[in-house]
Amino acid sequence: MTQHDSDAHPRSSGEPRDPGRRIFLRAAAATAAAASGVIATGAAAGGAVAAPAVTPAAAPAAAPGGFPDYRYLKTLLTPSQLKYNPTGEIIFPCVRGVYDKLANPLGRYYLYYGPHDAPGGICLAYGDSLEGPFTEYTANPIVSNNWQPHYRVSHVASPHVVWREDVKELWLYFHGENGTTRLARSKDGITFTYDKVVLTTAMMPAGSSETSYARVFPHELPSRGAHWVMLFMLNNQSNHRDIAWGWSADGRNWTFDQTPLVRHSDVGANNIGGPHLLSRDGSTYVVYNNSKENGGNLLITEVGNDFGRRNHLGLFYDSATTAPDNGRSAAPSFGTDRGVPYMIYEAGERLQGSIAVARG
């Protein structure tokens, strides 16, 4: 896992943030931490108009774990400006650099996303910079809720794509229904071949009702014979969502820990989700979102390289009260473009938001 090592970019006085609120939350996060002792490596979205870039000012403090202090830059994708827009909402971005992997990509970067509600659909946009603009692929969705003879479901959503150097393929993990995560594979990042189901509620403790929003990362766990780690959201009859995890030698066949990696109660939230794995300075961290009623922010927990730690470090990214965040940031995907770190994330209230980018 490649760490982010760029210095944080400062913020302008016109950035849509509440500095006093950030300072207060940073102090609270530091107090809590003391008490408790990725990188993506591919031009305009359906005619979408991006917000103006932020001009740097004074240098801020780094985020917990020494990560950059990401600052909102612009909005990349807005549902109303997309040709494929069956439900008026989009979620769960995943960005991957393909310029050094595919022979003739549409752009340097591929941005996967999609609506959640029925019929959902896995969608693609492409661009030459992580700052955008991104162009909507003309034949979205590239994966639908009806893929015979493999499945017919109400919706498919939450695309997460990884590059498999060993087979020169992009592997797509996605859910549909909420209790099933599936795998498909592609040589070009556009046309996919169905592989198999990799996770269901039946693989988790009795009473589990959702195993979704999975992201998969290369990560060595020698003691478990694993080269890959999966993070996902777990729900049960209590209707409080936690972060769960599993490991795999090949990315197809998985073993899952029956105990949550991070519980909602560990961090004082009703629900947590949208996890992403990051590594920095010799350790490993999970970044995830809490629900809007608990702040709508991104939090960070250090789990260590062997996933044996539970060091809850608090606030990673403070969602703005103004647009596009409107008090909620979620499902981050991270990338580095020409040495500059970026975070592409779901901005706005659930099922009412857009896809935005922040710069570190």
Side-chain angles (χ1 to χ4, degrees), residues 27-53:
T31 301
S36 64
V38 227
I39 182 169
T41 52
V49 178

Side-chain angles (χ1 to χ4, degrees), residues 138-197:
T138 56
N140 281 331
I142 57 175
V143 174
S144 77
N145 64 331
N146 183 8
W147 195 344
Q148 298 296 324
H150 310 296
Y151 64 75
R152 184 184 182 94
V153 294
S154 71
H155 75 287
V156 292
S158 70
H160 181 82
V161 175
V162 298
W163 172 251
R164 291 294 304 248
E165 179 64 26
D166 53 342
V167 291
K168 306 296 184 184
E169 292 179 347
L170 288 163
W171 286 22
L172 165 68
Y173 299 85
F174 62 103
H175 82 250
E177 309 290 354
N178 288 343
T180 302
T181 295
R182 306 172 188 274
L183 170 62
R185 301 162 63 167
S186 175
K187 293 291 187 181
D188 63 5
I190 300 172
T191 303
F192 284 85
T193 300
Y194 187 82
D195 191 330
K196 61 180 292 187
V197 170

Side-chain angles (χ1 to χ4, degrees), residues 4-201:
H4 295 317
D5 55 7
S6 298
D7 293 334
H9 280 244
R11 175 192 316 181
S12 74
S13 58
E15 184 177 0
R17 297 275 165 208
D18 182 341
R21 181 169 181 260
R22 174 176 280 273
I23 291 169
F24 171 79
L25 288 169
R26 285 274 186 239
T31 301
S36 64
V38 227
I39 182 169
T41 52
V49 178
V54 176
T55 302
F67 290 96
D69 195 7
Y70 291 94
R71 305 304 179 95
Y72 167 77
L73 186 64
K74 62 176 70 171
T75 299
L76 296 176
L77 299 175
T78 300
S80 62
Q81 297 173 326
L82 297 172
K83 178 181 177 182
Y84 181 74
N85 179 29
T87 59
E89 46 86 17
I90 51 175
I91 66 166
F92 211 81
C94 177
V95 66
R96 288 293 174 260
V98 294
Y99 58 90
D100 58 348
K101 298 174 175 62
L102 305 181
N104 295 292
L106 300 173
R108 287 174 56 84
Y109 296 96
Y110 280 4
L111 174 57
Y112 298 89
Y113 65 97
H116 177 272
D117 284 356
I122 306 305
C123 297
L124 170 67
Y126 55 91
D128 291 323
S129 168
L130 291 182
E131 295 190 10
F134 280 87
T135 298
E136 180 184 13
Y137 181 60
T138 56
N140 281 331
I142 57 175
V143 174
S144 77
N145 64 331
N146 183 8
W147 195 344
Q148 298 296 324
H150 310 296
Y151 64 75
R152 184 184 182 94
V153 294
S154 71
H155 75 287
V156 292
S158 70
H160 181 82
V161 175
V162 298
W163 172 251
R164 291 294 304 248
E165 179 64 26
D166 53 342
V167 291
K168 306 296 184 184
E169 292 179 347
L170 288 163
W171 286 22
L172 165 68
Y173 299 85
F174 62 103
H175 82 250
E177 309 290 354
N178 288 343
T180 302
T181 295
R182 306 172 188 274
L183 170 62
R185 301 162 63 167
S186 175
K187 293 291 187 181
D188 63 5
I190 300 172
T191 303
F192 284 85
T193 300
Y194 187 82
D195 191 330
K196 61 180 292 187
V197 170
V198 293
L199 169 63
T200 71
T201 53

Side-chain angles (χ1 to χ4, degrees), residues 116 175 177-180 199-201 204 207-213 232-237 239 241-242 244 271 350:
H116 177 272
H175 82 250
E177 309 290 354
N178 288 343
T180 302
L199 169 63
T200 71
T201 53
M204 299 304 292
S208 297
S209 57
E210 295 176 53
T211 46
S212 52
Y213 301 100
F232 58 97
M233 188 190 74
L234 174 67
N235 194 15
N236 55 34
Q237 302 306 311
N239 205 30
R241 293 162 179 84
D242 300 321
N271 296 285
R350 176 163 170 74

Side-chain angles (χ1 to χ4, degrees), residues 222-303:
S223 64
R224 301 178 189 266
H227 308 293
W228 300 90
V229 165
M230 180 188 293
L231 304 177
F232 58 97
M233 188 190 74
L234 174 67
N235 194 15
N236 55 34
Q237 302 306 311
S238 70
N239 205 30
H240 291 290
R241 293 162 179 84
D242 300 321
I243 303 302
W245 77 295
W247 54 93
S248 172
D250 60 7
R252 298 183 69 247
N253 302 290
W254 294 83
T255 302
F256 298 102
D257 196 322
Q258 301 298 289
T259 302
L261 180 66
V262 183
R263 300 179 188 272
H264 66 280
S265 56
D266 294 341
V267 292
N270 294 330
N271 296 285
I272 54 177
H276 196 290
L277 199 70
L278 292 176
S279 294
R280 191 173 183 85
D281 295 337
S283 192
T284 302
Y285 303 79
V286 179
V287 175
Y288 50 94
N289 57 264
N290 61 10
S291 47
K292 186 172 180 179
E293 63 265 33
N294 300 122
N297 299 314
L298 300 181
L299 308 179
I300 182 170
T301 293
E302 183 182 13
V303 296

